[in-house]
Amino acid sequence: MSFTLAIVGRPNVGKSTLFNRLVGKKLALVDDQPGVTRDLREGAARLADLRFTVIDTAGLEDATDDSLPGRMRRLTERAVEMADACLFMVDARAGILPDDEVFADILRKKSAHVILAANKAEGRAAEGGLLEAYSLGLGDPVRMSAEHGEGMTELLDFLRPIA
Ligand code: GDP
Ligand code: MG
């Protein structure tokens, strides 16, 4: 049986980078500047022997103030409803920010399966953020570097029970 995984989290944490790695094509735009990708993007993902559908929640990059606009919340909720599981990505270099807590609240209420991923975890700059990620109360974070392909085996271990 196949499943659908939604990648959610605030802008710039590396969601599209992981999406592109899983799909293996440059379907989702990745950019240093927030404001590039829009809405939801779906792709056929492959990780080792697993085949699944992955949803990239773009369209979160339009936040212009410190709070998450309702549109971003609705977009995330829509992705969660479409998916069997969510990969909630945080930026281990930036640490846990108030917007991350907003996403964590949505996921606690709406999603059956949440995989917490601490991205940009290559190198020492990520140690503090990794520890902070435990405070979200969503279990142990998968330590990963979407850009460098690190943490994919650990991610696989979290995905197998869903498949
Ligand atoms: P999104 O807004 O969450 O979709 O984030 P993107 O995938 O567009 O990535 C935002 C920025 O983070 C880009 O400059 C990426 O190259 C960078 N990035 C993504 N993954 C990693 C990673 O594992 N390590 C580091 N250092 N940078 C990353
Ligand atoms: Mg993106």
Side-chain angles (χ1 to χ4, degrees):
M1 204 200 79
S2 192
F3 64 94
T4 300
L5 178 75
I7 306 173
V8 303
R10 59 180 183 78
N12 230 32
V13 296
K15 298 182 299 298
S16 298
T17 304
L18 178 64
F19 177 90
N20 287 338
R21 179 170 287 282
L22 292 172
V23 170
K25 297 178 213 134
K26 295 280 174 193
L27 280 185
L29 294 172
V30 179
D31 200 274
D32 286 332
Q33 297 300 315
V36 173
T37 50
R38 295 284 181 275
D39 303 316
L40 301 175
R41 212 170 298 258
E42 207 176 273
R46 197 178 126 176
L47 188 60
D49 57 310
L50 286 193
R51 304 278 187 280
F52 53 98
T53 301
V54 64
I55 296 170
D56 183 18
T57 50
L60 302 178
E61 286 83 352
D62 292 334
T64 49
D65 55 40
D66 288 341
S67 68
L68 288 174
R71 198 173 80 77
M72 295 165 69
R73 180 181 279 272
R74 280 195 299 278
L75 185 65
T76 300
E77 287 175 350
R78 191 146 63 84
V80 170
E81 278 157 21
M82 288 167 70
D84 300 300
C86 287
L87 185 142
F88 172 36
M89 186 177 274
V90 297
D91 180 335
R93 285 167 188 249
I96 302 305
L97 305 184
D99 281 351
D100 293 312
E101 308 275 5
V102 174
F103 282 99
D105 284 342
I106 296 171
L107 293 173
R108 266 190 223 102
K109 287 175 190 144
K110 299 259 174 187
S111 181
H113 290 279
V114 181
I115 299 165
L116 176 62
N119 191 39
K120 310 193 186 182
E122 79 278 2
R124 299 279 293 277
E127 295 303 328
L130 268 165
L131 282 176
E132 283 179 27
Y134 284 87
S135 72
L136 288 168
L138 289 167
D140 292 0
V142 180
R143 179 194 180 116
M144 73 164 64
S145 171
E147 194 157 271
H148 299 276
E150 294 170 15
M152 296 302 117
T153 305
E154 203 186 342
L155 175 59
L156 196 60
D157 291 339
F158 279 81
L159 290 176
R160 279 202 197 286
I162 301 160

